[in-house]
Amino acid sequence: MNEKKNYTYHLIAIFTVGVWGLTFISTKVLIANGLSPKEIFLLRFLIAYIGIWFISPRKLFANNWKDELWLLLGGITGGSVYFLTENMALGITLATNVAFIVCTAPLLTTIFSLMIYKKEKATRTLIGGSLMALVGVAMVVYNGSFVLKISPLGDFLTLLAALSWAFYSLIMKKMTGRYNTIFITRKIFFYGILTILPVFLFQPWQADLSLLMEPSVLLNLLFLGVLASLVCFAVWNVVLKNLGTVRASNYIYLNPLFTLVGSAVLLDEHLTIIALIGAGCIMGGVYIAGRK
């Protein structure tokens, strides 16, 4: 029975990362319609925050100020800082650089988890599977057209985004054993919104609000807010709790694979044999790393 339940969490992890992989396409559509990345993030988290109040416990604060501070850090690392640094990097360095460096987040999570939690062990299968998946990510991201352009600031911001997500995963590991998952997720949305607002003091809102009524914009915002944020953030926290931070984080390697497939189907983007081989490496690496 436990094995079947464990199998279910693996499937949920794949579904969640699959949805997150498609968010790049939705974001691309929204930017093409005139919304900026920070405006998209704010709307996305607002929709999720409003929605989660219908199912969340009416508890307003954590049991103590230290836990409340951890939840604030969760909202910053998994929300405002992660999305802000990633989107800023996209405007400075190559998108391929961003996609690849962000996918070092599982590796960073593993390293930090091994340093902090003595119960976590670095097995050969875990290390080998992670490295195999990372090689596959490189093949998928560059998709047969390798262009390396070093941009210190852009690449640093992307690495900061990866570090931010790694810390978010560790914070969730700490919090999921203490509070209801939906409560934690609601607090992450709240603090994500709260900490992105100061950015608008320096770069005011510019998009025309009438854009929000256009079908393509509204549908993509609902996809990002309801499915990719409200549903996926909540179930991802459950996955982290049940599979463990290291094993769950390895599924992030699948992110560019879903983006690749989605781009090929929805945007008619070119697919190469190198990318397909890379996809095989990712799937094989994630499977190996996830084995006990």
Side-chain angles (χ1 to χ4, degrees):
M1 190 69 175
N2 272 342
E3 189 175 337
K4 187 176 180 182
K5 192 176 181 182
N6 206 38
Y7 180 71
T8 302
Y9 290 124
H10 285 286
L11 289 177
I12 293 171
I14 294 170
F15 168 78
T16 303
V17 174
V19 172
W20 283 344
L22 297 177
T23 60
F24 289 102
I25 299 170
S26 280
T27 302
K28 191 173 181 178
V29 171
L30 292 171
I31 289 173
N33 276 278
L35 286 168
S36 71
K38 66 180 182 300
E39 291 165 353
I40 294 167
F41 169 75
L42 179 61
L43 291 169
R44 171 181 176 170
F45 265 42
L46 270 175
I47 291 169
Y49 185 64
I50 292 168
I52 204 168
W53 267 105
F54 291 99
I55 56 173
S56 174
R58 293 299 179 258
K59 181 182 178 71
L60 291 178
F61 300 104
N63 296 336
N64 55 71
W65 69 269
K66 287 185 179 179
D67 284 353
E68 192 69 26
L69 183 59
W70 279 117
L71 292 170
L72 166 62
L73 289 173
I76 293 171
T77 54
S80 55
V81 167
Y82 172 76
F83 286 98
L84 192 61
T85 51
E86 183 183 67
N87 290 330
M88 284 172 65
L90 283 169
I92 299 171
T93 189
L94 296 176
T96 47
N97 287 32
V98 175
F100 178 70
I101 296 172
V102 160
C103 276
T104 61
L107 195 58
L108 293 169
T109 303
T110 301
I111 292 168
F112 292 140
S113 189
L114 291 171
M115 289 170 61
I116 297 169
Y117 299 105
K118 303 302 180 183
K119 290 182 180 179
E120 299 281 5
K121 301 294 181 184
T123 63
R124 288 182 181 180
T125 55
L126 174 64
I127 295 170
S130 295
L131 292 176
M132 182 180 175
L134 194 58
V135 170
V137 167
M139 296 173 78
V140 167
V141 165
Y142 290 100
N143 199 13
S145 177
F146 183 75
V147 179
L148 181 63
K149 179 185 174 184
I150 303 299
S151 171
L153 179 58
D155 294 342
F156 172 75
L157 285 170
T158 312
L159 183 59
L160 192 59
L163 283 166
S164 185
W165 188 263
F167 282 120
Y168 168 76
S169 298
L170 294 174
I171 290 167
M172 289 305 98
K173 178 182 177 72
K174 186 180 184 70
M175 289 292 102
T176 49
R178 301 185 186 184
Y179 299 95
N180 178 285
T181 302
I182 300 298
F183 168 76
I184 294 170
T185 308
R186 194 194 79 215
K187 299 295 286 188
I188 297 302
F189 292 151
F190 174 75
Y191 284 123
I193 293 166
L194 190 66
T195 53
I196 197 67
L197 291 178
V199 177
F200 288 91
L201 295 175
F202 302 96
Q203 297 177 334
W205 183 285
Q206 293 182 335
D208 189 340
L209 291 177
S210 63
L211 282 173
L212 305 183
M213 292 298 104
E214 293 184 12
S216 62
V217 172
L218 183 59
L219 287 173
N220 278 287
L221 280 174
L222 288 174
F223 169 74
L224 291 173
V226 177
L227 185 57
S229 296
L230 173 56
V231 175
C232 286
F233 267 73
V235 298
W236 184 250
N237 290 339
V238 174
V239 168
L240 286 173
K241 181 180 179 180
N242 288 277
L243 292 185
T245 307
V246 172
R247 293 178 75 200
S249 293
N250 272 295
Y251 281 104
I252 298 293
Y253 289 122
L254 293 172
N255 201 308
L257 175 58
F258 284 104
T259 303
L260 180 77
V261 173
S263 297
V265 174
L266 301 173
L267 303 178
D268 199 29
E269 292 189 359
H270 185 55
L271 217 92
T272 67
I273 188 67
I274 296 295
L276 293 174
I277 294 171
C281 287
I282 293 172
M283 290 187 287
V286 169
Y287 173 74
I288 292 168
R291 292 174 64 188
K292 284 191 173 180

